[in-house]
Amino acid sequence: MKLYDYILSPSCYKVRLMAALTGVKLELRPVDFHPGAEHRGSELLALNPAGSIPILEDGDLLLTESSAILVYLSTQAAPEWLAGSKPEEAARVQQWLSFSGRLTASLGGARLHEMLLRPGDIGALQAQGVAALRELEAGLVEQAERGMRFLAADRPTVADIACFPYVALAPDGGVSLDPYPAIRLWSRALRALDNFIEMPGIHRLHELKPEPHIEPGEA
């Protein structure tokens, strides 16, 4: 499989992380996203007219949406990362996969504005990001009340990987994670997974300190 990749892209990182966690080998084809805007050039527009990355090629198959790529990698190598046999788990996975697009638009937009000077209403992007984080925090607290540490089940799924990078990098866009103890706990759990890989701004847990305790209903 070939991944058209930009090292600083959270969406590309999702794919690299999913591949590492599931043991899938990827051939990385670096893309000069900034400042070269190679994703807007003729070669990559022929692969993805939307002018975005990641792009995954696997033989004749071409995928251009990160959530679809996560599902495909899991289907190929580790179906346990998809929904289990319980209908409610499958529904939660799909719900959070859809929700991850809001994180990209809001927190991702704020990050692009702050780091790459991408045009946008930074105040509105940050406000939308805060609203999304509050929703995520509430969802994780509800899961904690069910005895679960992850978004859709008692184990990590593609839903967690889809949401994690833009949340972890929210401070790059001027949005603090300090008010969200459940999100910080969830982030620690993901960063402690075997075969977790880093990207600039997202690091492994080099030593595990006692995790904060979250009381049911605490936000």
Side-chain angles (χ1 to χ4, degrees):
M1 299 184 196
K2 179 189 293 186
L3 176 67
Y4 291 79
D5 178 56
Y6 177 54
I7 190 65
L8 295 179
S9 163
S11 291
C12 292
Y13 169 64
K14 295 178 190 182
V15 179
R16 298 195 307 273
L17 177 58
M18 189 83 258
L21 293 171
T22 56
V24 173
K25 301 298 182 184
L26 293 176
E27 174 192 347
L28 299 182
R29 196 298 210 168
V31 174
D32 183 3
F33 184 89
H34 180 80
E38 186 183 1
H39 57 299
R40 299 289 186 182
S42 58
E43 178 189 354
L44 294 193
L45 285 176
L47 298 176
N48 181 14
S52 62
I53 51 174
I55 301 169
L56 183 78
E57 286 184 328
D58 187 18
D60 293 333
L61 179 67
L62 189 68
L63 295 174
T64 60
E65 296 292 338
S66 61
S67 292
I69 296 172
L70 297 184
V71 170
Y72 180 69
L73 294 181
S74 298
T75 301
Q76 296 297 301
E80 66 271 16
W81 281 84
L82 299 171
S85 58
K86 298 178 181 179
E88 61 269 27
E89 288 185 7
R92 288 191 196 110
V93 166
Q94 292 302 317
Q95 176 171 293
W96 290 112
L97 283 176
S98 178
F99 172 83
S100 69
R102 289 172 49 198
L103 297 172
T104 303
S106 57
L107 297 176
R111 181 173 181 266
L112 285 173
H113 182 280
E114 295 295 273
M115 296 186 68
L116 302 183
L117 304 180
R118 180 74 59 86
D121 183 337
I122 186 61
L125 290 168
Q126 290 171 337
Q128 292 160 11
V130 167
L133 288 174
R134 288 174 176 168
E135 186 173 338
L136 179 64
E137 178 80 2
L140 286 166
V141 170
E142 289 176 4
Q143 283 291 84
E145 291 172 345
R146 300 183 185 107
M148 300 181 188
R149 300 176 69 188
F150 299 99
L151 282 173
D154 57 359
R155 65 192 186 286
T157 68
V158 294
D160 299 282
I161 305 306
C163 293
F164 170 67
Y166 283 102
V167 171
L169 294 168
D172 286 350
V175 178
S176 173
L177 296 177
D178 289 348
Y180 310 108
I183 287 175
R184 298 197 308 274
L185 185 65
W186 167 74
S187 176
R188 289 176 60 88
L190 290 171
R191 292 190 293 134
L193 293 174
D194 292 340
N195 300 317
F196 181 90
I197 61 170
E198 301 177 330
M199 72 163 280
I202 300 180
H203 307 292
R204 294 179 181 86
L205 291 181
H206 296 293
E207 63 177 49
L208 289 174
K209 298 179 181 179
E211 295 177 342
H213 178 66
I214 304 232
E215 295 291 343
E218 179 179 310

